[in-house]
Amino acid sequence: HWFSFSSKIKQIISIIPIIKKKSKLLSEGLHWPLHKIEWLHPGRGISNYAVSDTVRIKVKKGRVMIIIPYERL
């Protein structure tokens, strides 16, 4: 299941794992793809930025919190 949302180009999006299991994700519309990243520690995330007006993220393994700053689009 993909999580899709509208975004402005260059909008910062942060992703933080929230459980003590490996997290693995797929993404579309972000500058740095997430498919090669595996998080092992909760609480240590990354920030990325949108390169499209639509961003899609799929959590293949684990659980993450996705932070999207509120801005009027």
Short mmCIF file of all heavy atoms in Angstrom, two decimals:
data_model
loop_
_atom_site.label_atom_id
_atom_site.label_comp_id
_atom_site.label_asym_id
_atom_site.label_seq_id
_atom_site.Cartn_x
_atom_site.Cartn_y
_atom_site.Cartn_z
N HIS A 1 0.84 -1.18 0.00
CA HIS A 1 0.00 0.00 0.00
C HIS A 1 0.89 1.25 0.00
O HIS A 1 1.76 1.39 0.85
CB HIS A 1 -0.91 -0.04 1.21
CG HIS A 1 -1.76 1.17 1.37
ND1 HIS A 1 -2.80 1.47 0.51
CD2 HIS A 1 -1.72 2.17 2.27
CE1 HIS A 1 -3.36 2.60 0.91
NE2 HIS A 1 -2.73 3.03 1.97
N TRP A 2 0.67 2.13 -0.95
CA TRP A 2 1.42 3.39 -1.06
C TRP A 2 0.71 4.51 -0.31
O TRP A 2 -0.50 4.63 -0.38
CB TRP A 2 1.56 3.78 -2.53
CG TRP A 2 2.52 2.93 -3.29
CD1 TRP A 2 2.24 1.77 -3.93
CD2 TRP A 2 3.90 3.19 -3.50
NE1 TRP A 2 3.36 1.27 -4.54
CE2 TRP A 2 4.41 2.13 -4.29
CE3 TRP A 2 4.78 4.19 -3.12
CZ2 TRP A 2 5.73 2.05 -4.69
CZ3 TRP A 2 6.10 4.12 -3.51
CH2 TRP A 2 6.57 3.07 -4.29
N PHE A 3 1.48 5.33 0.39
CA PHE A 3 0.98 6.54 1.02
C PHE A 3 1.35 7.69 0.08
O PHE A 3 2.53 7.92 -0.19
CB PHE A 3 1.63 6.73 2.39
CG PHE A 3 1.32 8.04 3.05
CD1 PHE A 3 0.02 8.37 3.39
CD2 PHE A 3 2.33 8.95 3.33
CE1 PHE A 3 -0.27 9.58 4.00
CE2 PHE A 3 2.05 10.16 3.93
CZ PHE A 3 0.75 10.47 4.27
N SER A 4 0.36 8.37 -0.48
CA SER A 4 0.58 9.45 -1.43
C SER A 4 0.08 10.77 -0.85
O SER A 4 -0.94 10.81 -0.18
CB SER A 4 -0.18 9.18 -2.74
OG SER A 4 0.25 8.00 -3.32
N PHE A 5 0.82 11.84 -1.13
CA PHE A 5 0.39 13.16 -0.69
C PHE A 5 0.92 14.24 -1.63
O PHE A 5 1.94 14.05 -2.29
CB PHE A 5 0.82 13.43 0.75
CG PHE A 5 2.30 13.28 1.01
CD1 PHE A 5 3.15 14.37 0.92
CD2 PHE A 5 2.84 12.04 1.32
CE1 PHE A 5 4.51 14.23 1.15
CE2 PHE A 5 4.19 11.89 1.56
CZ PHE A 5 5.03 12.99 1.48
N SER A 6 0.20 15.35 -1.65
CA SER A 6 0.62 16.49 -2.46
C SER A 6 1.73 17.23 -1.73
O SER A 6 1.76 17.28 -0.50
CB SER A 6 -0.54 17.45 -2.68
OG SER A 6 -1.56 16.81 -3.41
N SER A 7 2.63 17.82 -2.52
CA SER A 7 3.76 18.52 -1.94
C SER A 7 4.21 19.64 -2.87
O SER A 7 3.92 19.62 -4.06
CB SER A 7 4.91 17.52 -1.75
OG SER A 7 6.02 18.16 -1.22
N LYS A 8 4.91 20.60 -2.30
CA LYS A 8 5.58 21.61 -3.11
C LYS A 8 6.97 21.09 -3.45
O LYS A 8 7.58 20.36 -2.65
CB LYS A 8 5.74 22.91 -2.33
CG LYS A 8 4.50 23.73 -2.19
CD LYS A 8 4.86 25.04 -1.50
CE LYS A 8 3.71 25.99 -1.49
NZ LYS A 8 4.07 27.25 -0.83
N ILE A 9 7.47 21.46 -4.61
CA ILE A 9 8.85 21.11 -4.96
C ILE A 9 9.77 21.71 -3.89
O ILE A 9 9.58 22.84 -3.44
CB ILE A 9 9.21 21.69 -6.36
CG1 ILE A 9 8.23 21.21 -7.41
CG2 ILE A 9 10.66 21.38 -6.71
CD1 ILE A 9 8.41 19.82 -7.91
N LYS A 10 10.75 20.93 -3.46
CA LYS A 10 11.74 21.28 -2.43
C LYS A 10 11.18 21.31 -1.01
O LYS A 10 11.87 21.70 -0.08
CB LYS A 10 12.45 22.59 -2.75
CG LYS A 10 13.28 22.51 -4.01
CD LYS A 10 14.16 23.71 -4.18
CE LYS A 10 15.00 23.52 -5.44
NZ LYS A 10 15.89 24.64 -5.67
N GLN A 11 9.94 20.86 -0.81
CA GLN A 11 9.40 20.76 0.55
C GLN A 11 10.14 19.66 1.30
O GLN A 11 10.37 18.57 0.77
CB GLN A 11 7.91 20.46 0.53
CG GLN A 11 7.32 20.37 1.93
CD GLN A 11 5.83 20.10 1.92
OE1 GLN A 11 5.30 19.58 0.96
NE2 GLN A 11 5.17 20.47 3.00
N ILE A 12 10.53 19.94 2.53
CA ILE A 12 11.24 18.96 3.36
C ILE A 12 10.25 17.92 3.88
O ILE A 12 9.16 18.27 4.35
CB ILE A 12 11.93 19.65 4.55
CG1 ILE A 12 12.93 20.71 4.07
CG2 ILE A 12 12.59 18.63 5.47
CD1 ILE A 12 14.13 20.17 3.34
N ILE A 13 10.65 16.65 3.81
CA ILE A 13 9.87 15.54 4.35
C ILE A 13 10.82 14.72 5.21
O ILE A 13 11.91 14.37 4.77
CB ILE A 13 9.27 14.67 3.22
CG1 ILE A 13 8.20 15.46 2.47
CG2 ILE A 13 8.65 13.40 3.77
CD1 ILE A 13 8.45 15.57 1.03
N SER A 14 10.44 14.45 6.45
CA SER A 14 11.29 13.66 7.35
C SER A 14 10.64 12.32 7.62
O SER A 14 9.42 12.21 7.73
CB SER A 14 11.50 14.42 8.67
OG SER A 14 12.17 15.63 8.42
N ILE A 15 11.48 11.30 7.75
CA ILE A 15 11.02 9.93 7.97
C ILE A 15 11.80 9.35 9.14
O ILE A 15 13.04 9.36 9.13
CB ILE A 15 11.22 9.08 6.70
CG1 ILE A 15 10.44 9.73 5.54
CG2 ILE A 15 10.78 7.65 6.93
CD1 ILE A 15 11.00 9.42 4.20
N ILE A 16 11.07 8.87 10.15
CA ILE A 16 11.69 8.37 11.37
C ILE A 16 11.11 7.00 11.70
O ILE A 16 9.90 6.86 11.85
CB ILE A 16 11.43 9.34 12.54
CG1 ILE A 16 11.95 10.73 12.18
CG2 ILE A 16 12.05 8.82 13.82
CD1 ILE A 16 11.49 11.82 13.11
N PRO A 17 11.96 5.96 11.85
CA PRO A 17 11.45 4.66 12.28
C PRO A 17 10.99 4.74 13.73
O PRO A 17 11.58 5.46 14.53
CB PRO A 17 12.65 3.72 12.12
CG PRO A 17 13.84 4.60 12.07
CD PRO A 17 13.40 5.95 11.62
N ILE A 18 9.92 3.99 14.05
CA ILE A 18 9.37 4.09 15.41
C ILE A 18 9.33 2.75 16.16
O ILE A 18 8.81 2.70 17.26
CB ILE A 18 7.96 4.73 15.39
CG1 ILE A 18 7.01 3.95 14.49
CG2 ILE A 18 8.05 6.19 14.96
CD1 ILE A 18 5.57 4.43 14.54
N ILE A 19 9.86 1.68 15.56
CA ILE A 19 9.94 0.41 16.28
C ILE A 19 11.37 -0.14 16.17
O ILE A 19 12.15 0.30 15.33
CB ILE A 19 8.93 -0.64 15.76
CG1 ILE A 19 9.17 -0.96 14.29
CG2 ILE A 19 7.51 -0.16 16.00
CD1 ILE A 19 8.32 -2.10 13.77
N LYS A 20 11.71 -1.09 17.01
CA LYS A 20 13.06 -1.64 17.07
C LYS A 20 13.28 -2.77 16.07
O LYS A 20 14.00 -3.71 16.35
CB LYS A 20 13.37 -2.13 18.48
CG LYS A 20 13.48 -1.03 19.48
CD LYS A 20 13.87 -1.58 20.83
CE LYS A 20 14.02 -0.48 21.83
NZ LYS A 20 14.51 -0.96 23.12
N LYS A 21 12.66 -2.69 14.93
CA LYS A 21 12.89 -3.66 13.87
C LYS A 21 13.39 -2.92 12.65
O LYS A 21 13.21 -1.71 12.54
CB LYS A 21 11.59 -4.39 13.52
CG LYS A 21 11.08 -5.29 14.60
CD LYS A 21 9.85 -6.02 14.15
CE LYS A 21 9.35 -6.96 15.24
NZ LYS A 21 8.15 -7.67 14.84
N LYS A 22 14.04 -3.63 11.76
CA LYS A 22 14.50 -3.03 10.52
C LYS A 22 13.35 -2.41 9.75
O LYS A 22 12.29 -3.01 9.64
CB LYS A 22 15.13 -4.11 9.65
CG LYS A 22 16.57 -3.88 9.31
CD LYS A 22 17.00 -4.92 8.31
CE LYS A 22 17.98 -5.85 8.96
NZ LYS A 22 18.60 -6.76 8.03
N SER A 23 13.57 -1.22 9.23
CA SER A 23 12.57 -0.57 8.38
C SER A 23 13.12 -0.44 6.97
O SER A 23 14.30 -0.12 6.79
CB SER A 23 12.23 0.82 8.92
OG SER A 23 11.63 0.74 10.18
N LYS A 24 12.28 -0.73 6.00
CA LYS A 24 12.68 -0.62 4.59
C LYS A 24 11.52 0.00 3.83
O LYS A 24 10.38 -0.37 4.01
CB LYS A 24 13.01 -2.00 4.05
CG LYS A 24 13.63 -1.96 2.67
CD LYS A 24 14.25 -3.29 2.34
CE LYS A 24 14.77 -3.29 0.94
NZ LYS A 24 16.08 -2.71 0.78
N LEU A 25 11.86 0.98 2.96
CA LEU A 25 10.83 1.74 2.25
C LEU A 25 11.15 1.87 0.76
O LEU A 25 12.29 1.72 0.36
CB LEU A 25 10.73 3.15 2.84
CG LEU A 25 10.28 3.26 4.28
CD1 LEU A 25 11.47 3.28 5.20
CD2 LEU A 25 9.47 4.50 4.47
N LEU A 26 10.11 2.21 0.01
CA LEU A 26 10.24 2.62 -1.38
C LEU A 26 9.70 4.03 -1.47
O LEU A 26 8.86 4.43 -0.66
CB LEU A 26 9.41 1.71 -2.30
CG LEU A 26 9.79 0.23 -2.34
CD1 LEU A 26 8.78 -0.52 -3.21
CD2 LEU A 26 11.19 0.05 -2.86
N SER A 27 10.16 4.79 -2.46
CA SER A 27 9.65 6.15 -2.61
C SER A 27 9.63 6.58 -4.06
O SER A 27 10.37 6.05 -4.90
CB SER A 27 10.53 7.13 -1.81
OG SER A 27 11.84 7.17 -2.35
N GLU A 28 8.76 7.53 -4.33
CA GLU A 28 8.69 8.20 -5.62
C GLU A 28 8.48 9.68 -5.33
O GLU A 28 7.73 10.03 -4.43
CB GLU A 28 7.52 7.68 -6.45
CG GLU A 28 7.67 6.24 -6.87
CD GLU A 28 6.44 5.72 -7.62
OE1 GLU A 28 5.47 6.48 -7.83
OE2 GLU A 28 6.46 4.54 -7.98
N GLY A 29 9.16 10.54 -6.07
CA GLY A 29 8.98 11.97 -5.92
C GLY A 29 9.89 12.62 -4.90
O GLY A 29 9.76 13.81 -4.62
N LEU A 30 10.84 11.86 -4.33
CA LEU A 30 11.82 12.42 -3.40
C LEU A 30 13.19 12.53 -4.08
O LEU A 30 13.51 11.73 -4.97
CB LEU A 30 11.95 11.54 -2.15
CG LEU A 30 10.74 11.47 -1.24
CD1 LEU A 30 10.99 10.50 -0.10
CD2 LEU A 30 10.40 12.85 -0.69
N HIS A 31 13.99 13.47 -3.64
CA HIS A 31 15.32 13.66 -4.24
C HIS A 31 16.20 12.43 -4.06
O HIS A 31 16.80 11.95 -5.00
CB HIS A 31 15.99 14.89 -3.63
CG HIS A 31 17.32 15.19 -4.25
ND1 HIS A 31 18.49 14.79 -3.68
CD2 HIS A 31 17.64 15.84 -5.39
CE1 HIS A 31 19.50 15.18 -4.44
NE2 HIS A 31 19.00 15.82 -5.49
N TRP A 32 16.30 11.92 -2.84
CA TRP A 32 17.09 10.73 -2.57
C TRP A 32 16.15 9.54 -2.41
O TRP A 32 15.31 9.53 -1.50
CB TRP A 32 17.94 10.90 -1.31
CG TRP A 32 18.97 11.95 -1.48
CD1 TRP A 32 20.11 11.89 -2.23
CD2 TRP A 32 18.97 13.25 -0.88
NE1 TRP A 32 20.80 13.07 -2.14
CE2 TRP A 32 20.13 13.93 -1.32
CE3 TRP A 32 18.10 13.91 -0.03
CZ2 TRP A 32 20.44 15.21 -0.94
CZ3 TRP A 32 18.41 15.21 0.36
CH2 TRP A 32 19.57 15.83 -0.10
N PRO A 33 16.27 8.53 -3.26
CA PRO A 33 15.39 7.36 -3.14
C PRO A 33 15.63 6.62 -1.83
O PRO A 33 16.74 6.62 -1.31
CB PRO A 33 15.75 6.49 -4.34
CG PRO A 33 17.01 7.04 -4.90
CD PRO A 33 17.23 8.41 -4.34
N LEU A 34 14.58 6.01 -1.31
CA LEU A 34 14.67 5.33 -0.02
C LEU A 34 14.91 3.83 -0.13
O LEU A 34 15.13 3.17 0.88
CB LEU A 34 13.36 5.57 0.76
CG LEU A 34 13.01 7.03 1.04
CD1 LEU A 34 11.66 7.10 1.74
CD2 LEU A 34 14.09 7.71 1.85
N HIS A 35 14.90 3.28 -1.33
CA HIS A 35 14.94 1.82 -1.48
C HIS A 35 16.24 1.17 -1.00
O HIS A 35 16.26 0.00 -0.70
CB HIS A 35 14.65 1.42 -2.92
CG HIS A 35 15.72 1.78 -3.90
ND1 HIS A 35 15.84 3.05 -4.42
CD2 HIS A 35 16.72 1.05 -4.43
CE1 HIS A 35 16.87 3.08 -5.24
NE2 HIS A 35 17.42 1.88 -5.26
N LYS A 36 17.33 1.90 -0.87
CA LYS A 36 18.60 1.31 -0.44
C LYS A 36 18.87 1.51 1.04
O LYS A 36 19.87 1.07 1.56
CB LYS A 36 19.75 1.91 -1.25
CG LYS A 36 19.73 1.51 -2.69
CD LYS A 36 20.94 2.03 -3.42
CE LYS A 36 20.89 1.58 -4.87
NZ LYS A 36 22.05 2.06 -5.61
N ILE A 37 17.97 2.19 1.74
CA ILE A 37 18.18 2.50 3.15
C ILE A 37 17.45 1.47 4.01
O ILE A 37 16.29 1.17 3.79
CB ILE A 37 17.67 3.91 3.49
CG1 ILE A 37 18.41 4.94 2.66
CG2 ILE A 37 17.81 4.20 4.97
CD1 ILE A 37 17.84 6.34 2.78
N GLU A 38 18.17 0.95 5.03
CA GLU A 38 17.54 0.10 6.05
C GLU A 38 17.88 0.69 7.40
O GLU A 38 19.04 0.80 7.76
CB GLU A 38 18.05 -1.34 5.96
CG GLU A 38 17.48 -2.10 4.80
CD GLU A 38 17.77 -3.59 4.88
OE1 GLU A 38 18.26 -4.07 5.91
OE2 GLU A 38 17.51 -4.25 3.88
N TRP A 39 16.86 1.11 8.12
CA TRP A 39 17.08 1.67 9.44
C TRP A 39 17.07 0.55 10.47
O TRP A 39 16.23 -0.33 10.43
CB TRP A 39 15.97 2.65 9.80
CG TRP A 39 16.03 3.93 9.06
CD1 TRP A 39 16.84 4.99 9.34
CD2 TRP A 39 15.24 4.31 7.94
NE1 TRP A 39 16.59 5.99 8.46
CE2 TRP A 39 15.62 5.60 7.59
CE3 TRP A 39 14.25 3.68 7.18
CZ2 TRP A 39 15.04 6.30 6.54
CZ3 TRP A 39 13.68 4.35 6.13
CH2 TRP A 39 14.08 5.64 5.82
N LEU A 40 17.98 0.63 11.42
CA LEU A 40 18.04 -0.37 12.47
C LEU A 40 17.66 0.19 13.84
O LEU A 40 17.42 -0.56 14.75
CB LEU A 40 19.46 -0.96 12.55
CG LEU A 40 19.94 -1.65 11.26
CD1 LEU A 40 21.39 -2.06 11.40
CD2 LEU A 40 19.07 -2.84 10.95
N HIS A 41 17.65 1.50 13.98
CA HIS A 41 17.39 2.11 15.28
C HIS A 41 16.21 3.05 15.22
O HIS A 41 16.16 3.91 14.35
CB HIS A 41 18.62 2.90 15.75
CG HIS A 41 19.86 2.10 15.84
ND1 HIS A 41 20.07 1.19 16.84
CD2 HIS A 41 20.94 2.03 15.03
CE1 HIS A 41 21.24 0.60 16.66
NE2 HIS A 41 21.78 1.09 15.57
N PRO A 42 15.27 2.90 16.15
CA PRO A 42 14.16 3.86 16.18
C PRO A 42 14.67 5.23 16.61
O PRO A 42 15.65 5.33 17.35
CB PRO A 42 13.20 3.27 17.21
CG PRO A 42 14.02 2.36 18.04
CD PRO A 42 15.15 1.88 17.18
N GLY A 43 14.02 6.26 16.14
CA GLY A 43 14.38 7.61 16.55
C GLY A 43 15.41 8.28 15.67
O GLY A 43 15.60 9.48 15.75
N ARG A 44 16.11 7.52 14.83
CA ARG A 44 17.10 8.12 13.94
C ARG A 44 16.56 8.08 12.53
O ARG A 44 16.47 7.03 11.91
CB ARG A 44 18.41 7.36 14.00
CG ARG A 44 19.09 7.51 15.32
CD ARG A 44 20.46 6.93 15.27
NE ARG A 44 21.07 7.06 16.59
CZ ARG A 44 22.26 6.68 16.87
NH1 ARG A 44 23.02 6.14 15.94
NH2 ARG A 44 22.74 6.84 18.07
N GLY A 45 16.20 9.22 12.04
CA GLY A 45 15.58 9.29 10.73
C GLY A 45 16.39 10.11 9.76
O GLY A 45 17.55 10.42 10.00
N ILE A 46 15.75 10.44 8.66
CA ILE A 46 16.39 11.27 7.64
C ILE A 46 15.40 12.33 7.18
O ILE A 46 14.19 12.18 7.34
CB ILE A 46 16.84 10.44 6.41
CG1 ILE A 46 15.64 9.80 5.72
CG2 ILE A 46 17.89 9.42 6.77
CD1 ILE A 46 15.94 9.37 4.31
N SER A 47 15.94 13.37 6.61
CA SER A 47 15.13 14.36 5.93
C SER A 47 15.49 14.31 4.46
O SER A 47 16.62 14.04 4.08
CB SER A 47 15.38 15.76 6.50
OG SER A 47 14.85 15.85 7.79
N ASN A 48 14.51 14.54 3.64
CA ASN A 48 14.64 14.47 2.20
C ASN A 48 13.82 15.63 1.66
O ASN A 48 13.20 16.36 2.43
CB ASN A 48 14.07 13.11 1.74
CG ASN A 48 14.64 12.61 0.44
OD1 ASN A 48 15.03 13.39 -0.43
ND2 ASN A 48 14.67 11.30 0.29
N TYR A 49 13.80 15.82 0.36
CA TYR A 49 12.92 16.86 -0.16
C TYR A 49 12.25 16.43 -1.45
O TYR A 49 12.78 15.59 -2.20
CB TYR A 49 13.64 18.20 -0.30
CG TYR A 49 14.75 18.25 -1.32
CD1 TYR A 49 14.49 18.60 -2.64
CD2 TYR A 49 16.06 17.97 -0.97
CE1 TYR A 49 15.51 18.66 -3.58
CE2 TYR A 49 17.08 18.03 -1.89
CZ TYR A 49 16.80 18.39 -3.20
OH TYR A 49 17.81 18.44 -4.12
N ALA A 50 11.09 17.00 -1.68
CA ALA A 50 10.26 16.64 -2.82
C ALA A 50 10.83 17.22 -4.12
O ALA A 50 11.31 18.35 -4.15
CB ALA A 50 8.84 17.15 -2.62
N VAL A 51 10.78 16.41 -5.17
CA VAL A 51 11.16 16.86 -6.51
C VAL A 51 9.96 16.78 -7.45
O VAL A 51 10.10 16.93 -8.64
CB VAL A 51 12.35 16.04 -7.07
CG1 VAL A 51 13.61 16.31 -6.26
CG2 VAL A 51 12.04 14.56 -7.11
N SER A 52 8.80 16.52 -6.88
CA SER A 52 7.56 16.39 -7.62
C SER A 52 6.43 16.98 -6.80
O SER A 52 6.57 17.15 -5.59
CB SER A 52 7.30 14.89 -7.90
OG SER A 52 6.05 14.68 -8.46
N ASP A 53 5.31 17.27 -7.43
CA ASP A 53 4.17 17.79 -6.67
C ASP A 53 3.37 16.69 -6.00
O ASP A 53 2.45 16.95 -5.25
CB ASP A 53 3.27 18.68 -7.53
CG ASP A 53 2.70 17.96 -8.73
OD1 ASP A 53 3.03 16.78 -8.95
OD2 ASP A 53 1.92 18.59 -9.46
N THR A 54 3.74 15.43 -6.25
CA THR A 54 3.16 14.28 -5.56
C THR A 54 4.30 13.39 -5.07
O THR A 54 5.21 13.06 -5.83
CB THR A 54 2.23 13.47 -6.47
OG1 THR A 54 1.19 14.32 -6.93
CG2 THR A 54 1.64 12.28 -5.74
N VAL A 55 4.24 13.02 -3.80
CA VAL A 55 5.23 12.12 -3.21
C VAL A 55 4.51 10.84 -2.81
O VAL A 55 3.39 10.88 -2.31
CB VAL A 55 5.91 12.76 -1.98
CG1 VAL A 55 6.81 11.77 -1.26
CG2 VAL A 55 6.70 14.00 -2.40
N ARG A 56 5.17 9.70 -3.07
CA ARG A 56 4.60 8.40 -2.68
C ARG A 56 5.65 7.64 -1.89
O ARG A 56 6.82 7.58 -2.29
CB ARG A 56 4.21 7.60 -3.93
CG ARG A 56 3.05 8.20 -4.66
CD ARG A 56 2.72 7.55 -6.00
NE ARG A 56 3.15 6.20 -6.22
CZ ARG A 56 2.35 5.14 -6.34
NH1 ARG A 56 1.04 5.28 -6.25
NH2 ARG A 56 2.84 3.94 -6.56
N ILE A 57 5.22 7.05 -0.78
CA ILE A 57 6.11 6.26 0.08
C ILE A 57 5.41 4.95 0.40
O ILE A 57 4.23 4.93 0.75
CB ILE A 57 6.46 7.02 1.37
CG1 ILE A 57 7.24 8.29 1.02
CG2 ILE A 57 7.25 6.12 2.33
CD1 ILE A 57 7.49 9.20 2.19
N LYS A 58 6.15 3.86 0.28
CA LYS A 58 5.62 2.54 0.62
C LYS A 58 6.53 1.92 1.69
O LYS A 58 7.73 1.81 1.49
CB LYS A 58 5.59 1.64 -0.61
CG LYS A 58 5.03 0.26 -0.32
CD LYS A 58 4.92 -0.56 -1.58
CE LYS A 58 4.25 -1.88 -1.30
NZ LYS A 58 4.03 -2.64 -2.53
N VAL A 59 5.93 1.55 2.81
CA VAL A 59 6.68 0.89 3.87
C VAL A 59 6.64 -0.61 3.59
O VAL A 59 5.59 -1.23 3.67
CB VAL A 59 6.08 1.19 5.26
CG1 VAL A 59 6.87 0.48 6.34
CG2 VAL A 59 6.06 2.70 5.50
N LYS A 60 7.80 -1.17 3.23
CA LYS A 60 7.87 -2.61 2.95
C LYS A 60 8.10 -3.42 4.22
O LYS A 60 7.72 -4.58 4.30
CB LYS A 60 9.01 -2.88 1.96
CG LYS A 60 8.71 -2.31 0.57
CD LYS A 60 9.76 -2.72 -0.41
CE LYS A 60 9.61 -4.21 -0.68
NZ LYS A 60 10.49 -4.73 -1.68
N LYS A 61 8.73 -2.79 5.21
CA LYS A 61 9.07 -3.49 6.44
C LYS A 61 9.18 -2.46 7.56
O LYS A 61 9.72 -1.38 7.35
CB LYS A 61 10.40 -4.19 6.23
CG LYS A 61 10.83 -5.15 7.27
CD LYS A 61 12.19 -5.69 6.89
CE LYS A 61 12.30 -7.13 7.26
NZ LYS A 61 13.61 -7.67 6.94
N GLY A 62 8.67 -2.80 8.74
CA GLY A 62 8.77 -1.91 9.89
C GLY A 62 7.64 -0.91 9.96
O GLY A 62 6.61 -1.04 9.30
N ARG A 63 7.86 0.11 10.77
CA ARG A 63 6.89 1.21 10.94
C ARG A 63 7.68 2.50 11.01
O ARG A 63 8.72 2.57 11.67
CB ARG A 63 6.11 1.06 12.24
CG ARG A 63 5.03 0.07 12.14
CD ARG A 63 4.08 0.23 13.30
NE ARG A 63 3.10 -0.85 13.22
CZ ARG A 63 2.48 -1.35 14.23
NH1 ARG A 63 2.68 -0.87 15.43
NH2 ARG A 63 1.62 -2.32 14.07
N VAL A 64 7.15 3.52 10.37
CA VAL A 64 7.82 4.81 10.37
C VAL A 64 6.81 5.93 10.61
O VAL A 64 5.62 5.76 10.40
CB VAL A 64 8.57 5.09 9.04
CG1 VAL A 64 9.66 4.06 8.80
CG2 VAL A 64 7.62 5.16 7.87
N MET A 65 7.34 7.06 11.06
CA MET A 65 6.56 8.27 11.17
C MET A 65 7.04 9.18 10.05
O MET A 65 8.26 9.38 9.88
CB MET A 65 6.79 8.94 12.53
CG MET A 65 6.08 10.24 12.68
SD MET A 65 6.14 10.96 14.36
CE MET A 65 7.78 10.61 14.92
N ILE A 66 6.11 9.72 9.28
CA ILE A 66 6.44 10.63 8.19
C ILE A 66 5.99 12.03 8.62
O ILE A 66 4.82 12.22 8.96
CB ILE A 66 5.75 10.20 6.89
CG1 ILE A 66 6.20 8.79 6.50
CG2 ILE A 66 6.03 11.20 5.78
CD1 ILE A 66 5.41 8.18 5.37
N ILE A 67 6.92 12.96 8.62
CA ILE A 67 6.62 14.32 9.03
C ILE A 67 6.62 15.21 7.79
O ILE A 67 7.62 15.31 7.09
CB ILE A 67 7.64 14.82 10.06
CG1 ILE A 67 7.62 13.91 11.29
CG2 ILE A 67 7.36 16.28 10.44
CD1 ILE A 67 8.73 14.17 12.27
N ILE A 68 5.47 15.84 7.58
CA ILE A 68 5.30 16.74 6.45
C ILE A 68 4.92 18.10 7.03
O ILE A 68 3.82 18.26 7.56
CB ILE A 68 4.17 16.25 5.51
CG1 ILE A 68 4.41 14.81 5.13
CG2 ILE A 68 4.05 17.15 4.29
CD1 ILE A 68 3.16 14.09 4.64
N PRO A 69 5.83 19.07 6.99
CA PRO A 69 5.47 20.39 7.55
C PRO A 69 4.25 20.96 6.86
O PRO A 69 4.10 20.84 5.65
CB PRO A 69 6.72 21.24 7.27
CG PRO A 69 7.81 20.26 7.06
CD PRO A 69 7.16 19.04 6.47
N TYR A 70 3.39 21.56 7.64
CA TYR A 70 2.17 22.15 7.08
C TYR A 70 2.51 23.46 6.38
O TYR A 70 3.17 24.33 6.94
CB TYR A 70 1.15 22.42 8.18
CG TYR A 70 -0.05 23.16 7.66
CD1 TYR A 70 -1.03 22.51 6.93
CD2 TYR A 70 -0.18 24.52 7.86
CE1 TYR A 70 -2.12 23.18 6.42
CE2 TYR A 70 -1.28 25.21 7.36
CZ TYR A 70 -2.23 24.53 6.65
OH TYR A 70 -3.29 25.21 6.14
N GLU A 71 2.10 23.56 5.15
CA GLU A 71 2.19 24.80 4.39
C GLU A 71 0.97 24.88 3.51
O GLU A 71 0.49 23.85 3.03
CB GLU A 71 3.42 24.79 3.47
CG GLU A 71 4.74 24.92 4.15
CD GLU A 71 5.87 25.03 3.15
OE1 GLU A 71 5.73 25.80 2.18
OE2 GLU A 71 6.86 24.34 3.33
N ARG A 72 0.49 26.04 3.29
CA ARG A 72 -0.61 26.18 2.33
C ARG A 72 -0.04 25.98 0.94
O ARG A 72 0.92 26.63 0.57
CB ARG A 72 -1.25 27.55 2.44
CG ARG A 72 -2.01 27.69 3.71
CD ARG A 72 -2.68 29.03 3.76
NE ARG A 72 -3.39 29.10 5.01
CZ ARG A 72 -4.62 29.50 5.11
NH1 ARG A 72 -5.27 29.93 4.07
NH2 ARG A 72 -5.22 29.53 6.28
N LEU A 73 -0.63 25.05 0.21
CA LEU A 73 -0.15 24.77 -1.15
C LEU A 73 -0.75 25.74 -2.14
O LEU A 73 -1.78 26.27 -2.01
CB LEU A 73 -0.49 23.34 -1.55
CG LEU A 73 0.21 22.28 -0.71
CD1 LEU A 73 -0.28 20.89 -1.13
CD2 LEU A 73 1.70 22.35 -0.90
#
